[in-house]
Amino acid sequence: ETGVTQSPTHLIKTRGQQVTLRCSSQSGHNTVSWYQQALGQGPQFIFQYYREEENGRGNFPPRFSGLQFPNYSSELNVNALELDDSALYLCASSLGAGGPGSEQFFGPGTRLTVL
Amino acid sequence: GDSVTQMEGPVTLSEEACLTINCTYTATGYPSLFWYVQYPGEGLQLLLKATKADDKGSNKGFEATYRKETTSFHLEKGSVQVSDSAVYFCALTYTGNQFYFGTGTSLTVIP
């Protein structure tokens, strides 16, 4: 069973640029969630994709967008990067659209630095 | 709104000491509660969970009990090991799609 993988591991961008982060879900999982984890903070929910549709969104501006593909892998796109976007971006996969006690399986994250 | 508050870290303990990491939550309904652990350079891993009041989650010697009356889910272990050094996150969710995490508590166990 393959776990959640993310690419790239590290990324450096400059303010105003655009970035795309990628995630492959765990085998058999059809749901992907994205989180932003600033240094010294807990993960903050960005959004979730279930069967290629957005299925919930946190308090993030529209310049944060995503996609889910038929193989359930996913992309997170961030436009017009700001310094405060520097963080660890975590992808989590799960089976189904949720439910009490549903567990999410996390990838190792992509460390984004915006200069 | 819904939120999770964890005790401030960092926490430093000697091997075989007792551990308690406090977690309290604010919720409008009846969420499921989780503890996740993050080892250096890795993603979060589920440590334990509880889905309703008075449930006790346990794993690898760690325990936490869902206390509705005190809105708490404190993490405990009777004897910590060096390998337990990590950052611990308390979290809640209603539907399993959006998780609300605390800020994390860093634990260092020294031999």
Side-chain angles (χ1 to χ4, degrees), chain A residues 80-109:
Chain A
L81 283 167
E82 301 176 0
L83 297 180
D84 285 349
D85 295 334
S86 296
L88 181 68
Y89 288 84
L90 295 168
C91 169
S93 75
S94 53
L95 181 60
S102 291
E103 178 183 348
Q104 294 188 350
F105 294 80
F106 284 81

Side-chain angles (χ1 to χ4, degrees), chain A residues 37 42 48 98-99 101 103-104 107, chain B residues 32 36 43 46 49 89 95-97 102:
Chain A
Q37 185 179 13
Q48 183 185 77
E103 178 183 348
Q104 294 188 350
Chain B
S32 297
Y36 276 85
L46 177 67
K49 66 180 182 182
F89 292 93
T95 61
N97 58 0

